[in-house]
Amino acid sequence: MEEIKMKCIIVDDEPMLRQHIAEMTEQIDFLDLVETFPSALAATSRLQQGDIDLIFLDINMPYLNGIDFLDSLENPPLCIFITAYSEYALEGFRLQAVDYLLKPIIFQRFYQASTKAYQLFVQRNKPLQESSPNDNMLFVRQGDAFVKISWTDILYAESMQNYTKLHFKERTITIHQTMLALEEALPSNHFFRIHKSYLVNVNHIDIITGGRVYIQEKELPISRTKREELLQNVVFKKLLSR
């Protein structure tokens, strides 16, 4: 089977670094470099075409920094941040970045981060399959232990920077995993991302009103653009009366 390639772009205001990253992408078979850009503003129109799978994004850039730029995108591609400062890592995880690369960038770390992105990309593009009754079991790590859960019992997941809280009816489990990785592992026909910070199990939604979803009396916000998608893909398909 032919390997699927990820279309990627590089956004960095340093010409020499752009060239260095471009040369490293040429060494990795699953990366297809489409274009490079000197600023976030210059990359905006290209991203709007919707076919970019991965962005190597510098944080410290004039006019619009990488963090604010990624935060402004409603449906961003996978992102690997580039930075000279490790303190930006937590902010990157909050925005569900796949990884971050510290300058000067060595090929080993570049390959490691790219591979992590590719694994998520492949998982995202797998053909959707109906889940069998025995496919609801998952294991999550708690310290040195592995705890068995059923995804059908998850009410919703809450992003907490570089870890995620899984909320059940009578307990909450914290896992050291980003929301993006969790979303890729759960069945997309049962879980819906209503907000950057919340992924809900649609089977447990009690009420949708205005810009809010209610699950077990817990009020969760819906982003403005996600509300219409939720209504179209979940509610209207099962609407008894209009």
Side-chain angles (χ1 to χ4, degrees), residues 10-29:
I10 299 166
V11 182
D12 196 296
D13 63 328
E14 299 178 41
M16 293 294 290
L17 187 57
R18 287 201 307 274
Q19 180 62 31
H20 177 52
I21 297 172
E23 290 172 354
M24 288 192 289
T25 64
E26 293 175 0
Q27 304 304 312
I28 301 177
D29 291 340

Side-chain angles (χ1 to χ4, degrees), residues 22-230:
E23 290 172 354
M24 288 192 289
T25 64
E26 293 175 0
Q27 304 304 312
I28 301 177
D29 291 340
F30 55 77
L31 292 180
D32 177 16
L33 179 60
V34 174
E35 202 168 345
T36 67
F37 298 94
S39 69
L41 294 174
T44 301
S45 60
R46 185 62 185 83
L47 284 174
Q48 287 174 346
Q49 295 181 33
D51 63 337
I52 299 302
D53 305 306
L54 173 66
I55 177 173
F56 294 97
L57 181 61
D58 188 22
I59 290 180
N60 292 302
M61 293 185 293
Y63 303 111
L64 182 63
N65 69 50
I67 288 176
D68 291 339
F69 176 60
L70 187 66
D71 200 26
S72 71
L73 300 176
E74 187 59 41
N75 294 299
L78 296 172
C79 176
I80 295 174
F81 274 130
I82 301 165
T83 178
Y85 307 100
S86 59
E87 58 264 32
Y88 284 118
L90 284 179
E91 184 69 5
F93 279 120
R94 181 185 71 80
L95 295 173
Q96 313 305 319
V98 175
D99 206 339
Y100 72 99
L101 297 171
L102 283 177
K103 302 175 186 180
I105 302 170
I106 61 174
F107 181 77
Q108 181 182 1
R109 272 292 293 128
F110 182 83
Y111 182 77
Q112 182 184 44
S114 298
T115 299
K116 189 188 299 186
Y118 187 65
Q119 289 170 343
L120 289 171
F121 170 73
V122 170
Q123 182 68 30
R124 174 180 291 180
N125 287 278
K126 279 183 178 179
L128 293 177
Q129 299 175 345
E130 289 298 319
S131 300
S132 70
N134 297 321
D135 284 344
N136 60 358
M137 184 186 73
L138 294 171
F139 280 93
V140 295
R141 187 161 192 162
Q142 293 282 280
D144 294 329
F146 296 92
V147 181
K148 184 174 74 173
I149 66 169
S150 170
W151 59 255
T152 58
D153 295 330
I154 298 173
L155 302 178
Y156 64 93
E158 180 181 5
S159 176
M160 306 292 289
Q161 293 187 338
N162 60 332
Y163 59 92
T164 303
K165 284 185 177 180
L166 301 180
H167 294 267
F168 298 84
K169 188 174 182 179
E170 296 178 348
R171 62 172 174 162
T172 299
I173 293 177
T174 301
I175 60 175
H176 194 78
Q177 188 173 26
T178 65
M179 182 76 86
L180 176 61
L182 177 67
E183 187 176 6
E184 298 293 345
L186 294 171
S188 59
N189 54 332
H190 290 279
F191 286 85
F192 188 89
R193 188 76 167 269
I194 62 169
H195 186 275
K196 288 182 179 179
S197 298
Y198 294 101
L199 176 71
V200 303
N201 187 336
V202 298
N203 299 305
H204 291 291
I205 293 176
D206 296 315
I207 301 172
I208 301 172
T209 179
R212 295 287 184 269
V213 163
Y214 290 85
I215 297 178
Q216 296 284 322
E217 298 183 354
K218 175 67 177 181
E219 179 183 308
L220 305 175
I222 314 174
S223 68
R224 182 164 47 87
T225 54
K226 287 293 185 179
R227 182 179 183 275
E228 184 61 29
E229 187 180 346
L230 177 65

